[in-house]
Amino acid sequence: EGGVGVGLRTVLRSEQELRSVLADAQLGLICCSASVFTLVRWCRTVIRHAPGTDFWPTKGRSGSKMGIQLHTVYIVCYFVQQRILPKSAHIVDLGAQEFHTHIDPDAMAAIFSEFRPDLMPSRNALEDLSGDKTPGRIYEALGFGYNCVDVFPADRGFVCDLNFDTVPDELAGKADLVTNFGTTEHVMNQLNCFRFIHELTRPGSVM
């Protein structure tokens, strides 16, 4: 009713198209659900041993806001260490992500120390970075490229509607890592979301 009905009428032109989109999306979710669950369990194990702070809190989650934490950056660096991603990986977020907790400069220094000591910022630079709400400058300080896509303008962002749009030419096939931290669940056209993710990603890279 209301917004959902309007969304369905706007994005999908017929009941047949709706059934087709839902069938394709369900197939994709069924195929990836087991591997995603395994990856999440593995990442929890990795982060449990991360230095400097509690990167993956297990208590008090009911009051958490949507967004990312510094453990996300740690996982990306760990993927590079394990040669899952290249050292200069280009990262694309679906949705303009923000850190929803304060960034501890010491925890950030621990990430640089473990993975990129050659790029370790000064203390003043670490404190400056720790004030950022978005991850772009932090990723770039670690040697990565970064963009995001959202329906609103954002830092290092491209304005895209995942219900309708195709990937901008500047990003097509460019991403070594595409992340989706709770964005596509708000999009009606799941088929276009999956297509968008695939068109963003460089062959042989990680979604």
Side-chain angles (χ1 to χ4, degrees):
E1 192 65 32
V4 174
V6 171
L8 283 172
R9 287 194 296 274
T10 301
V11 179
L12 304 170
R13 292 178 292 275
S14 68
E15 181 179 353
Q16 182 178 3
E17 186 174 357
L18 170 62
R19 291 181 182 278
S20 174
V21 168
L22 291 177
D24 286 333
Q26 184 180 33
L27 176 62
L29 290 171
I30 290 172
C31 289
C32 75
S33 60
S35 59
V36 167
F37 179 68
T38 301
L39 178 62
V40 168
R41 287 193 302 172
W42 177 70
C43 287
R44 282 182 180 271
T45 301
V46 171
I47 297 307
R48 195 171 296 125
H49 298 95
T53 189
D54 181 5
F55 283 86
W56 199 302
T58 56
K59 298 180 180 179
R61 295 299 297 276
S62 60
S64 295
K65 301 177 182 178
M66 290 298 293
I68 61 173
Q69 297 183 53
L70 199 56
H71 71 254
T72 307
V73 178
Y74 185 94
I75 290 173
V76 173
C77 292
Y78 185 82
F79 281 1
V80 172
Q81 185 185 68
Q82 298 300 308
R83 299 186 179 181
I84 297 170
L85 294 174
K87 201 170 186 178
S88 58
H90 194 97
I91 302 155
V92 178
D93 275 334
L94 297 188
Q97 299 300 319
E98 292 187 352
F99 294 107
H100 65 78
T101 56
H102 172 72
I103 300 173
D104 181 354
D106 291 331
M108 197 187 312
I111 291 178
F112 278 94
S113 179
E114 181 171 354
F115 297 108
R116 292 304 303 264
D118 55 314
L119 297 178
M120 176 68 78
S122 68
R123 183 66 190 185
N124 286 342
L126 283 169
E127 290 179 355
D128 179 49
L129 285 171
S130 72
D132 281 15
K133 291 295 293 180
T134 57
R137 282 206 310 153
I138 294 174
Y139 277 130
E140 290 174 0
L142 285 160
F144 301 118
Y146 178 80
N147 290 107
C148 62
V149 295
D150 207 315
V151 290
F152 301 107
D155 178 50
R156 295 165 174 78
F158 287 78
V159 176
C160 296
D161 185 338
L162 294 177
N163 283 303
F164 304 101
D165 292 342
T166 57
V167 173
D169 291 341
E170 299 94 324
L171 293 181
K174 186 177 181 180
D176 298 292
L177 173 66
V178 178
T179 60
N180 174 28
F181 296 115
T183 294
T184 61
E185 66 188 74
H186 302 286
V187 180
M188 190 63 66
N189 192 342
Q190 290 293 299
L191 179 59
N192 196 58
C193 289
F194 283 113
R195 182 184 294 116
F196 199 99
I197 292 169
H198 278 268
E199 291 176 355
L200 277 173
T201 311
R202 193 191 312 274
S205 296
V206 181
M207 304 174 195

